[in-house]
Amino acid sequence: MTATPDLGAPRLASPDLLRSVFRRHAAGVAVITAYGESGPVGFTATSLSSVSAEPPMLSFGIGVGASSWPAISGADYVGVHILGEHQQALAATFARSGADRFGAPTVWREGPEGVPVLDDVLAWLVCRVVARVPAGDHRIVLAEVVLGDPEGAGRPLLYHQGRFTALRD
């Protein structure tokens, strides 16, 4: 079945329109981590994108009002973790304001460049931050990959229609 777009009654741009459209966009789920003055910080991100293969570079967005922003704004390195479908609770913990993100049951260790590295993820990277680009009430962080591991077991966690979900076969 093909649906024809209704061009007769489009909605004007607004935060609600953008949120409504992107609820229909399935996105992979990542957790971004860094080490700040008060210890490890992290947040759940669905805005992760590959930017360049040469040099290997990625980007993610973060709101300037986010509790992790002060640490991310000054961090030289960040950790990027691709979550598996078995990690819905971890994704929710890192998305929840005021949560003890690095307390039990989160399992992590200090990785290269002092970056917090989460256990049991599908893949992880340590990246050097090269730019923070203003974008409305967010910043787009550009980071060059330094090292990582793509060998975790499992299938990816997705975010769609306002909830965490998994791929269907």
Side-chain angles (χ1 to χ4, degrees), residues 12-23:
L12 292 176
S14 69
D16 183 55
L17 173 63
L18 186 67
R19 284 187 204 101
S20 294
V21 168
F22 272 87
R23 275 188 204 103

Side-chain angles (χ1 to χ4, degrees), residues 44-93:
T44 300
T46 57
S47 61
L48 183 66
S49 295
S50 172
V51 172
S52 169
E54 190 57 47
M57 192 174 292
L58 57 80
S59 70
F60 59 87
I62 179 172
V64 295
S67 61
S68 297
W69 172 242
I72 299 292
S73 72
D76 292 327
Y77 293 88
V78 295
V80 176
H81 307 83
I82 307 301
L83 300 190
E85 63 186 2
H86 63 286
Q87 294 178 301
Q88 290 187 22
L90 182 68
T93 295

Side-chain angles (χ1 to χ4, degrees), residues 31 44 83 87-95 101 106-107 118-119 121:
V31 167
T44 300
L83 300 190
Q87 294 178 301
Q88 290 187 22
L90 182 68
T93 295
F94 276 84
R101 296 173 178 155
T106 301
V107 181
L118 303 175
D119 278 6
V121 295

Side-chain angles (χ1 to χ4, degrees), residues 24 26 85 155-158 160-161 163 165-169:
R24 295 178 171 259
E85 63 186 2
R155 294 164 48 111
L157 180 62
L158 301 179
H160 182 249
Q161 294 286 23
R163 65 183 185 87
T165 188
L167 291 173
R168 284 185 275 190
D169 288 328

